[in-house]
Amino acid sequence: MRHPLFTAALGALACATTTLAGTLAAPALADDPRDPAMRNAEARARDAAEIRRLNREQAAMVARRDAQYAQGWEAWRDARDGRADYEAARADYARDMESYARARRDHDANEAAYAAARSDYEADMRAWRRDVEACRAGYREHCAR
């Protein structure tokens, strides 16, 4: 007694073998003058029409492909020709960055000067308030300020 999976596998193999044999047994004989299917004028006309259709499709595909190639080459030429514009823009960017760095250094210097001036002002205000308190307390030498 055979196992059911073996029987199923054997059946699938037989089916595949039959299909393959059927496919290989009927080779395509298009454009072969000895092909019995091409002996009448109507079959030859159908075959010629199909060939023309396939040729038109292939020509359209080649035209689309060539248009894409042309577009790519045009983009490449534009990029190559635009390199001078790119170099000019790059130089402008370098100048802008240097200007920004200068402005940043100036700003940092101004902030440091402001912080120092503010510190001096606050120290002077503390000294003035001490003098005011001393003046109010009766120490007249502090009232001159």
Side-chain angles (χ1 to χ4, degrees), residues 6-30:
F6 176 76
T7 306
L10 191 60
L13 181 64
C15 181
T17 305
T18 305
T19 303
L20 183 64
T23 303
L24 294 177
L29 300 174

Side-chain angles (χ1 to χ4, degrees), residues 54-68:
L54 292 172
N55 285 340
R56 281 193 301 270
E57 283 180 7
Q58 189 67 24
M61 188 278 301
V62 168
R64 285 191 305 273
R65 183 203 61 200
D66 290 349
Q68 287 176 342

Side-chain angles (χ1 to χ4, degrees), residues 56-110:
R56 281 193 301 270
E57 283 180 7
Q58 189 67 24
M61 188 278 301
V62 168
R64 285 191 305 273
R65 183 203 61 200
D66 290 349
Q68 287 176 342
Y69 286 165
Q71 187 178 22
W73 281 110
E74 183 177 350
W76 177 82
R77 279 190 298 276
D78 290 346
R80 182 197 61 198
D81 296 343
R83 184 122 179 111
D85 294 338
Y86 170 75
E87 294 299 332
R90 189 173 173 185
D92 289 344
Y93 177 75
R95 279 192 300 276
D96 290 346
M97 288 306 293
E98 181 56 36
S99 174
Y100 171 75
R102 240 186 342 272
R104 183 69 187 239
R105 284 190 301 271
D106 291 346
H107 172 71
D108 291 345
N110 288 340

